[in-house]
Amino acid sequence: KPISYFRVPEGVREPVKPLDLKAPLVTAFFDIRTNSIHLKWQKQDIDDITYEIYRSSDGNDFKLLDKVAGDISGYTDTNIKLPNVIDPTTTLNEVYYYKVVAIRRQDGKSVSSNIVKVVVNLKPKNAPPRDEQDESNSDSNQEAEEGFLEDLE
C-alpha cells in the first residue's frame, strides 16, 4: 500500500531539489561608438549563483576579468586596446577571447561557457593597402567597420 502522508520528523529539513546548473551560452560584439565589447548570456533560474568573466588574448591563457551576481545577464568590457591605425608596422586588428563560468555558491560546482572570439577591426572601409595610402588622404576615410564575433565551440 502506498504511503499517502508522511510527516517529516522535527529538526529534519525538507530535501532540496538538485539544481541543474547549465553552461552559459555567450554572445559578444565590439561597439565602435563606445570602444567596448559587450557580452550577453541567458541568466539561470538559480538564486545561489555567480558568474565569472574571463578574457584572453590568445584563446588559451584566460585571466579573471570580473565577477557578477546571478541576476546579471551581460557584461561590458571597456578596457579595450584599439588597433593603431596610424603606425603602419602594427596590425589593424586586436583579438579578444571570452568565456563565462557559472558557479553555484552552495557547493562550488561550476560550468564554463562557450569561448567567443571578438576581433576589434578599425580598418577604414574601402581603404587601399597601407603602403598605398597617401598621408594627405588619411583623414578622408575615417568610417570604420564594427568588430565581429566568432564562436569557437
Side-chain angles (χ1 to χ4, degrees), residues 28 30 37 54-59 62 77 79-83 93-98 115-120 148-150 152:
F30 171 68
I37 292 175
Y54 290 85
R55 183 175 80 177
S56 169
S57 59
D58 63 5
F62 284 88
D77 185 2
N79 189 19
I80 303 301
K81 179 181 172 192
L82 298 176
N93 296 327
E94 289 292 333
V95 180
Y96 296 95
Y97 299 86
Y98 294 90
I115 296 172
V116 290
K117 175 182 176 183
V118 180
V119 178
V120 177
F148 63 89
L149 157 78
E150 180 180 332
L152 298 180

Side-chain angles (χ1 to χ4, degrees), residues 47-97:
D47 293 332
D48 192 33
I49 191 171
T50 58
Y51 296 102
E52 292 182 345
I53 297 98
Y54 290 85
R55 183 175 80 177
S56 169
S57 59
D58 63 5
N60 295 310
D61 185 25
F62 284 88
K63 304 264 191 274
L64 179 64
L65 192 59
D66 207 347
K67 295 179 184 183
V68 297
D71 60 344
I72 305 294
S73 62
Y75 181 81
T76 301
D77 185 2
T78 57
N79 189 19
I80 303 301
K81 179 181 172 192
L82 298 176
N84 187 339
V85 294
I86 305 298
D87 183 357
T89 64
T90 62
T91 180
L92 287 176
N93 296 327
E94 289 292 333
V95 180
Y96 296 95
Y97 299 86

Side-chain angles (χ1 to χ4, degrees):
K1 217 175 182 184
I3 298 174
S4 60
Y5 175 76
F6 175 76
R7 192 175 125 187
V8 176
E10 219 173 289
V12 175
R13 291 189 283 182
E14 288 286 334
V16 178
K17 178 183 172 190
L19 301 173
D20 188 19
L21 188 62
K22 298 179 181 118
L25 177 61
V26 178
T27 59
F29 70 94
F30 171 68
D31 185 347
I32 197 165
R33 296 176 309 259
T34 60
N35 293 332
S36 58
I37 292 175
H38 300 277
L39 306 176
K40 279 285 217 201
W41 60 88
Q42 186 173 357
K43 62 184 176 179
Q44 301 188 38
D45 294 329
I46 300 175
D47 293 332
D48 192 33
I49 191 171
T50 58
Y51 296 102
E52 292 182 345
I53 297 98
Y54 290 85
R55 183 175 80 177
S56 169
S57 59
D58 63 5
N60 295 310
D61 185 25
F62 284 88
K63 304 264 191 274
L64 179 64
L65 192 59
D66 207 347
K67 295 179 184 183
V68 297
D71 60 344
I72 305 294
S73 62
Y75 181 81
T76 301
D77 185 2
T78 57
N79 189 19
I80 303 301
K81 179 181 172 192
L82 298 176
N84 187 339
V85 294
I86 305 298
D87 183 357
T89 64
T90 62
T91 180
L92 287 176
N93 296 327
E94 289 292 333
V95 180
Y96 296 95
Y97 299 86
Y98 294 90
K99 68 179 179 180
V100 175
V101 176
I103 302 171
R104 189 168 52 206
R105 291 186 299 254
Q106 174 187 19
D107 59 9
K109 181 179 179 186
S110 65
V111 290
S112 184
S113 73
N114 56 312
I115 296 172
V116 290
K117 175 182 176 183
V118 180
V119 178
V120 177
N121 182 344
L122 297 182
K123 182 178 178 186
K125 289 181 179 177
N126 303 319
R130 284 183 165 221
D131 55 351
E132 295 177 20
Q133 282 186 340
D134 177 6
E135 282 186 47
S136 63
N137 193 23
S138 63
D139 290 334
S140 65
N141 212 353
Q142 289 299 312
E143 185 179 344
E145 297 175 358
E146 287 200 21
F148 63 89
L149 157 78
E150 180 180 332
D151 191 350
L152 298 180
E153 292 184 355

